[in-house]
Every structure is written in structure tokens, then in C-alpha cells.
Amino acid sequence: MTTTLEAPAVHIGLSTPPRKQRQWRKRLIRAVHASAAVVLFVALWEFVPRFVLDESTRTFLPPLSEDLQALWDLALDGELADHLLASVGRSAAGFAVAVAVAVPLGLLIGWYRPVARFLQPLLELARNTAALALLPVFTLLLGIGELSKVSLVVYACVWPVLLNTIAGVNTVDPLLVKAARSLGLSSPRLFRKVILPSAVPTVFTGIRMAASYSILVLVAAEMVGAKAGLGYLINTSQVNFQIQQMYAGILAVSVLGVLVNSGFVALERRFSTWRPKEKP
């Protein structure tokens, strides 16, 4: 009796792509989806003024390519760098002071509930007072120099950091606190080992918001009584009817804001490595 061995069947056709190929395809699709709105906005900014608007309206809304050319010219002659350094220096100084004051104060208020209840009405009143509404007050009290601008940035940045720090301490899981106390952790170690790591994501949310506020508020403040800065560049260009340079300054502010936010997102991930990563 003989046994016949059959050859294994071979299926000819499209095979399943490797895992890395599928991952790259998903990343490409996500990148396309994420950038589609920006690409559409850029296309509209370029082609609508060039082919749709009449000449008079096009004067006030030039195509994006002309604005980018003006931005490149400002970068080449060094004028953009001077204004950028002036704005970054002021915003960084005010932001650093705000974080140095607001984080410890927020941890203190969040940890001691009686202090939080005592200061809550004052905090609510201050947080709802727009920083730009106080620009005349800062100018009258501190003059039109650097001190008034940096102080305005400090005021604008303090509140998001302070309130998010308080919220971060208050939203720590009570079960974690009870478990730590049952293990015999002292209050300083409990604060360092449990409260601070749990509050880090919320604190960094406030810091990111404050970083954005530091740029936006400063640009508005630089339009009054400044001799350098992105806000000064935008305002002076508008007054002198240099429309392309005005939009170039606006683009510089937008790019600076995106870079600052991206940097703080990376920093937040660095200090929150213990958190589980979200699924894409």
C-alpha cells in the first residue's frame, strides 16, 4: 500500500502587508488627516486673493507667498531676529516668574483646604479680570518700559498655572492617599511620592496655557510704547501701510506659539513617563 504525499497548496495573490508597512500607512493617513485643514487654509490664502479678490481688496489681504517673502526679507536683514529676541526675552522672564510663584502657591493652597476656602472668592475675582483690561493700570503705575510689560505677562500667566495646580492637587485619587497613609508614609513623603506625580499632568496643562498667554498678552502690550518686539513690528507695519510685513509679523507670532506649545508637550511627556500611553 502506497501513500501519496500532496504538495502544499500555494495561494497566489496579494499578501498581507508586513506590520511595519501597515504602521507606516496608518501614520501617513493620520498625517494627511491632521494636515488637511492647514493645507486647505494655505491654499485659500494663496489663491483667493490672487484670483478672486479685486485689486483694492487684495491690497489689504495679499497672497501668502508675498507675506512669506516679506518674512524672509525681514529674517535676512536681521530685523526679525531683533524683534523676536525682544519678545521672547520679555515673555520668558514673565513666564518664569509666574511659574516660580504660582506652582508652590498652588500646591500650598491645594494641600491646605482651609487656605483654599479662604482665598477662593479672591481667586475667582482675579481670574475673571482680563489681563489686557489692566494694561492702562500697569502703564500708569510702572511706566511704558520693560517692567510694565513683564509684569503684565506675570499677571496673565499666574492664574492658569495657579488654578491648574490647585485642581491637580484636589483631583488626586483619595484611594492612593489612603493607601500611602496605611503604609506609614509621612506627610512630606506622601506629598512628594503621591501628590506631586499625580498632579503633574494638570500642572503642565496650566503651564502650557500660561506659555501661550505670555506670547499673546505681550504682543498686545508691545503695541503700546514699545520700541522692539513682534507686537511693535505688527503695529508699526500697519501704521506705515506695510501690509506684507504686518502679516509676516503675525505669521512669526503663530510659528513661535506652535514651537513653544510643542516644546512643552514634549516636556510634559518627559515628566509623565509613568502614565500609560494613549492608543492612537
Side-chain angles (χ1 to χ4, degrees):
M1 183 176 182
T2 59
T3 303
T4 304
L5 297 177
E6 296 182 359
V10 179
H11 298 280
I12 301 177
L14 294 176
S15 59
T16 304
R19 183 177 180 181
K20 290 186 177 180
Q21 185 177 351
R22 293 198 303 268
Q23 290 178 349
W24 278 107
R25 184 178 299 174
K26 290 181 180 179
R27 292 177 182 176
L28 179 61
I29 293 175
R30 287 199 299 267
V32 171
H33 287 171
S35 59
V38 176
V39 172
L40 178 61
F41 175 74
V42 168
L44 289 175
W45 192 349
E46 175 65 27
F47 294 113
V48 170
R50 191 176 295 278
F51 299 108
V52 177
L53 300 181
D54 55 23
E55 190 64 27
S56 59
T57 308
R58 184 175 178 271
T59 303
F60 301 101
L61 185 61
L64 178 61
S65 58
E66 297 182 7
D67 303 329
L68 292 176
Q69 182 62 46
L71 182 63
W72 179 251
D73 294 338
L74 289 172
L76 287 180
D77 63 15
E79 186 177 354
L80 179 63
D82 294 338
H83 293 301
L84 186 62
L85 289 176
S87 294
V88 170
R90 292 166 182 151
S91 62
F95 172 76
V97 172
V99 172
V101 172
V103 171
L105 185 60
L107 294 174
L108 178 66
I109 295 174
W111 184 249
Y112 295 102
R113 299 298 177 86
V115 178
R117 288 193 294 267
F118 175 74
L119 295 177
Q120 187 67 27
L122 180 61
L123 295 178
E124 289 296 329
L125 177 63
R127 68 178 293 189
N128 289 295
T129 303
L132 291 179
L134 297 177
L135 177 59
V137 177
F138 282 92
T139 303
L140 288 174
L141 295 178
L142 303 176
I144 60 175
E146 300 296 315
L147 183 59
S148 63
K149 296 174 179 57
V150 174
S151 299
L152 186 66
V153 172
V154 172
Y155 179 86
C157 295
V158 157
W159 302 113
V161 179
L162 178 64
L163 296 174
N164 277 274
T165 303
I166 296 173
V169 175
N170 290 335
T171 54
V172 175
D173 191 349
L175 294 178
L176 293 177
V177 178
K178 291 181 180 179
R181 290 190 184 280
S182 65
L183 293 175
L185 267 69
S186 61
S187 293
R189 292 191 63 192
L190 172 66
F191 190 78
R192 188 174 66 255
K193 297 292 186 179
V194 178
I195 303 299
L196 282 180
S198 299
V200 161
T202 309
V203 173
F204 265 97
T205 299
I207 291 176
R208 285 172 53 194
M209 294 171 59
S212 300
Y213 291 169
S214 68
I215 298 173
L216 299 177
V217 171
L218 178 65
V219 168
E222 287 176 340
M223 294 182 178
V224 180
K227 296 181 180 180
L230 295 176
Y232 170 80
L233 172 64
I234 295 171
N235 186 57
T236 304
S237 299
Q238 186 267 334
V239 171
N240 294 328
F241 210 70
Q242 297 172 322
I243 305 302
Q244 285 84 358
Q245 287 193 7
M246 181 191 73
Y247 282 106
I250 295 173
L251 289 172
V253 172
S254 301
V255 173
L256 178 61
V258 170
L259 293 177
V260 169
N261 183 72
S262 300
F264 278 100
V265 168
L267 191 63
E268 179 181 358
R269 291 175 180 171
R270 171 65 179 83
F271 283 94
S272 304
T273 54
W274 56 271
R275 300 178 66 194
K277 294 183 179 179
E278 296 180 358
K279 293 182 180 180

